Amino acid sequence: MQFNIPLRNFKVKFNKFIQSVDPKHKLLVHCSAGIGRSGCFCVIDSMLRLRDYQLREKLLKTVLEMRNQRIGMVQTFDQYKFCFEFLKKSSSPSNN
C-alpha cells in the first residue's frame, strides 16, 4: 500500500468513514489508477458488509469477482496481504 497507517488506526478510520456515509447514497472510490488502493477499499468494504468469516477462500473469490468487473483490482501481493490482515483482525472477537 502507498500509505503507512498502522492497521489498528486504519480500521478505526475506515469504520468511522463507512458509518458516516448515508446508506441511501452510492459511494465512489478512486485512487490514481482506480484499481490498487481503491480495490483494497472495495474488497474490505464488501467483505465486512457480508460478515463472512471464511476469509481465505472468500477473499480470493471476492478479489477475482471484482477483477471480472475491473481488471487489476488489488494490484499487488502487498495489497492483497493488507486486505487479508485487515479482515483477519476485524473478524477476531477481541477487535469487534
Side-chain angles (χ1 to χ4, degrees), residues 62-93:
T62 300
V63 169
L64 292 175
E65 286 174 0
M66 289 191 174
R67 285 181 177 170
N68 282 332
Q69 298 172 27
R70 178 105 165 112
I71 295 171
M73 290 289 267
V74 185
Q75 287 178 294
T76 67
F77 176 75
D78 286 340
Q79 291 172 342
Y80 187 88
K81 183 178 170 187
F82 176 83
C83 292
F84 181 83
E85 292 298 322
F86 181 91
L87 291 163
K88 185 170 87 172
K89 290 182 189 266
S90 294
S91 66
S92 69

Side-chain angles (χ1 to χ4, degrees), residues 46-70:
S46 294
M47 290 193 66
L48 287 177
R49 289 175 192 270
L50 294 174
R51 293 284 183 209
D52 196 323
Y53 296 107
Q54 295 175 327
L55 181 58
R56 287 182 193 266
E57 299 82 20
K58 296 294 182 171
L59 178 58
L60 179 58
K61 182 179 177 186
T62 300
V63 169
L64 292 175
E65 286 174 0
M66 289 191 174
R67 285 181 177 170
N68 282 332
Q69 298 172 27
R70 178 105 165 112

